[in-house]
Amino acid sequence: GEDVEQSLFLSVREGDSSVINCTYTDSSSTYLYWYKQEPGAGLQLLTYIFSNMDMKQDQRLTVLLNKKDKHLSLRIADTQTGDSAIYFCAETPDRGGFQKLVFGTGTRLLVSP
Amino acid sequence: EPEVTQTPSHQVTQMGQEVILRCVPISNHLYFYWYRQILGQKVEFLVSFYNNEISEKSEIFDDQFSVERPDGSNFTLKIRSTKLEDSAMYFCASSERGTHYGYTFGSGTRLTVV
């Protein structure tokens, strides 16, 4: 079955870059996503990448995909205290229809001043 | 920006009781979902709903659970005969054209079964 794994915790200083890593098992994944969850809030879609891409950049966010190793990363440049949140990696298994999302455990990012 | 609204934000219920969790998806969205997150665990898919019927459900979504879109705007999750292990955060989501365009999630309902 599908499985998505992430490290649980990352601590960085304000202004540094953060890199959050994710590994997945389903080689047929078509889309991979990064969601952000702030305290008391829902899951906010940050960005996604299609499986035929290896990089996507969106302002301070850079997503890297190594499909051979089934490894996905999210780099946040110039990390701010407002970036403190839980970041979830998710993938869509390619089975057609109304694909569900398979989530990782989430990585709690703590940004200190 | 359009939002998915969930009510209540927190519900406490006694074991064995029935609960209904309510969601108002974004108005032009056609696909609806429920997910849950038990404290400290992964966000898990429960069910997807399209065209007034369930399109996919997980193993978790057994006869204890049901979903309904009673009036064209609300989307509800009913949990019958609640158990302690049903305590979790329940997230509703909707999407306009399916997963590939990303979901919009609600803020969640924290269900506590005592």
Side-chain angles (χ1 to χ4, degrees):
Chain A
E2 315 95 5
D3 196 19
V4 179
E5 296 294 336
Q6 298 176 241
S7 52
L8 293 180
F9 190 73
L10 177 65
S11 179
V12 300
R13 288 199 177 276
E14 194 172 23
D16 288 349
S17 292
S18 307
V19 179
I20 302 170
N21 294 301
C22 168
T23 57
Y24 60 97
T25 57
D26 192 337
S27 57
S28 66
S29 297
T30 51
Y31 283 84
L32 296 118
Y33 304 83
W34 284 103
Y35 280 84
K36 177 183 180 182
Q37 184 181 32
E38 296 183 76
L43 297 158
Q44 175 197 354
L45 177 65
L46 283 179
T47 188
Y48 63 92
I49 189 167
F50 188 51
S51 59
N52 70 352
M53 299 168 66
D54 51 23
M55 188 182 93
K56 180 178 180 181
Q57 186 146 7
D58 184 0
Q59 299 181 330
R60 290 191 298 124
L61 305 179
T62 303
V63 179
L64 294 177
L65 174 61
N66 181 330
K67 199 172 179 185
K68 174 177 166 290
D69 294 339
K70 300 194 190 87
H71 182 265
L72 182 74
S73 67
L74 174 69
R75 179 176 179 270
I76 306 173
D78 188 25
T79 316
Q80 303 297 304
T81 54
D83 295 323
S84 294
I86 301 175
Y87 291 81
F88 291 93
C89 168
E91 55 115 7
T92 299
D94 182 17
R95 297 211 187 93
F98 315 106
Q99 293 94 337
K100 64 183 182 184
L101 289 173
V102 178
F103 283 90
T105 47
T107 299
R108 183 178 295 275
L109 174 65
L110 178 63
V111 183
S112 53
Chain B
E1 189 168 329
E3 288 184 342
V4 174
T5 305
Q6 288 188 245
T7 54
S9 56
H10 190 191
Q11 173 135 13
V12 181
T13 189
Q14 290 206 323
M15 196 165 52
Q17 296 296 303
E18 174 183 288
V19 296
I20 297 177
L21 309 184
R22 301 181 192 279
C23 170
V24 179
I26 293 172
S27 62
N28 65 334
H29 284 190
L30 302 176
Y31 300 80
F32 314 111
Y33 310 85
W34 284 100
Y35 285 76
R36 80 171 184 190
Q37 185 181 27
I38 295 172
L39 188 64
Q41 298 187 23
K42 293 185 179 185
V43 177
E44 302 171 290
F45 169 77
L46 292 178
V47 66
S48 57
F49 191 87
Y50 170 74
N51 201 25
N52 286 319
E53 60 183 26
I54 290 173
S55 49
E56 187 178 356
K57 60 183 180 180
S58 71
E59 292 174 354
I60 303 166
F61 195 89
D62 59 20
D63 292 343
Q64 187 193 2
F65 295 87
S66 61
V67 289
E68 197 176 36
R69 191 157 159 77
D71 56 12
S73 62
N74 289 283
F75 179 52
T76 61
L77 174 69
K78 183 188 290 186
I79 309 174
R80 287 177 279 275
S81 189
T82 49
K83 299 175 282 204
L84 294 176
E85 53 265 38
D86 295 325
S87 295
M89 181 75 91
Y90 288 81
F91 292 105
C92 173
S94 68
S95 69
E96 186 177 359
R97 286 181 280 173
T99 308
H100 294 170
Y101 298 89
Y103 294 1
T104 301
F105 280 88
S107 301
T109 293
R110 180 169 297 285
L111 176 65
T112 303
V113 182
V114 296

